[in-house]
Amino acid sequence: MVVGIMGAMPEEIEPILARLQGVQKHEIADNIYYTALYGSLDLVVAYSKIGKVFSALTAATMVEKFGVRKLLFSGVAGAINPELHIGDLIAATKLCQHDLDITAFGHPYGYVPEGKVFVEASPRLLEMAHEAAVKTGVKLRHGVIATGDQFVADEKRKRWIGETFGADALEMEGGAVAVVCDAMKVPFFILRAISDAADMDAGFDFDAFLESSSKKSADFIFAMLDVIDQAQ
Ligand code: ADE
């Protein structure tokens, strides 16, 4: 089975590539896709570049050009829920786009006609994540992740996103990957390790913790790959 692993930034996929052997490079649509074998799985790994458009392009390319049948996202996020601290892992149960706004036409935030405010992650992959967490003794939290084309470094904006969508964490790609996978009927899983609290220190914290939190997320992705491989 072909499994896709995406990040948004090089730092998010480097700890994944570092653990693979016989990696091959493919260039498609201005991006590089890395393929390798992991157990019985064919992996496709790429960083999309930041934001909803690039991440949607990468997710769609993984499905269309590489035949990806499960898509895992590994990366970092800003915490909204005060119980989430730097380095904590959160798996999205559902995702939304906090910057999608046609409320002028009477629609709720995050909604456009023929779309939905929340897209749910694959229950089966969430189950497998739980199994991976139990096996490794790693604490994995679950929650709502809000996505938007904004780096949030503002308490007020963060609070609004939390209150409007019931979101626990925010980032810039997961909601777009969710829309693509939902439309293409590909089970997906969005994992994030907290790098900052989306507050006035967020820029500083993000730079300080991007590498260590990316590594935590990547390590968990390998635990999940082992569970997926064994279920084959
Ligand atoms: N990813 C990690 N931290 C973030 C933040 N504060 N805003 C948006 N995306 C993020």
Side-chain angles (χ1 to χ4, degrees):
M1 189 203 326
V2 188
V3 176
I5 306 174
M6 279 182 67
M9 300 172 69
E11 291 84 349
E12 290 172 322
I13 66 155
E14 266 153 19
I16 290 168
L17 293 175
R19 287 177 60 170
L20 299 177
Q21 276 152 17
V23 175
Q24 296 196 323
K25 271 169 118 176
H26 313 259
E27 201 182 322
I28 300 175
D30 265 345
N31 208 0
I32 298 169
Y33 294 79
Y34 302 89
T35 54
L37 283 175
Y38 184 79
S40 70
L41 306 174
D42 284 304
L43 300 186
V44 187
V45 183
Y47 76 89
S48 58
K49 299 182 278 256
I50 295 166
K52 295 196 295 180
V53 175
F54 282 132
S55 57
L57 173 63
T58 298
T61 302
M62 282 195 168
V63 176
E64 281 290 301
K65 301 274 190 202
F66 291 92
V68 157
R69 289 290 163 267
K70 285 188 187 352
L71 206 161
L72 316 179
F73 192 106
S74 181
V76 300
I80 300 175
N81 186 330
E83 286 173 20
L84 286 171
H85 302 290
I86 285 168
D88 286 352
L89 289 173
I90 175 166
T93 50
K94 57 182 185 175
L95 300 103
C96 61
Q97 297 178 61
H98 67 73
D99 59 348
L100 192 54
D101 179 356
I102 57 163
T103 55
F105 298 93
H107 293 297
Y109 285 106
Y111 177 83
V112 290
E114 298 183 51
K116 41 195 174 189
V117 177
F118 294 104
V119 179
E120 289 183 10
S122 156
R124 179 72 188 116
L125 286 175
L126 286 168
E127 242 174 64
M128 287 174 150
H130 177 70
E131 196 180 322
V134 170
K135 276 191 175 149
T136 53
V138 170
K139 180 160 183 175
L140 176 67
R141 292 147 200 270
H142 294 84
V144 177
I145 292 187
T147 299
D149 283 326
Q150 299 168 347
F151 184 83
V152 178
D154 178 66
E155 283 286 353
K156 226 175 112 192
R157 176 76 189 158
K158 160 171 115 161
R159 201 172 324 118
W160 181 85
I161 294 168
E163 285 166 5
T164 306
F165 298 99
D168 298 290
L170 56 83
E171 35 83 309
M172 302 180 69
E173 295 83 20
V177 172
V179 170
V180 169
C181 289
D182 191 50
M184 294 180 138
K185 311 277 181 277
V186 171
F188 70 92
F189 174 76
I190 310 287
L191 178 71
R192 297 282 184 166
I194 299 301
S195 56
D196 60 83
D199 55 10
M200 60 187 261
D201 297 325
F204 179 84
D205 288 343
F206 181 89
D207 283 342
F209 297 107
L210 170 63
E211 199 181 316
S212 58
S213 290
S214 294
K215 170 88 169 64
K216 284 189 180 163
S217 179
D219 285 346
F220 191 83
I221 288 290
F222 276 97
M224 260 194 91
L225 289 176
D226 291 337
V227 173
I228 295 170
D229 187 23
Q230 279 155 26
Q232 286 283 97

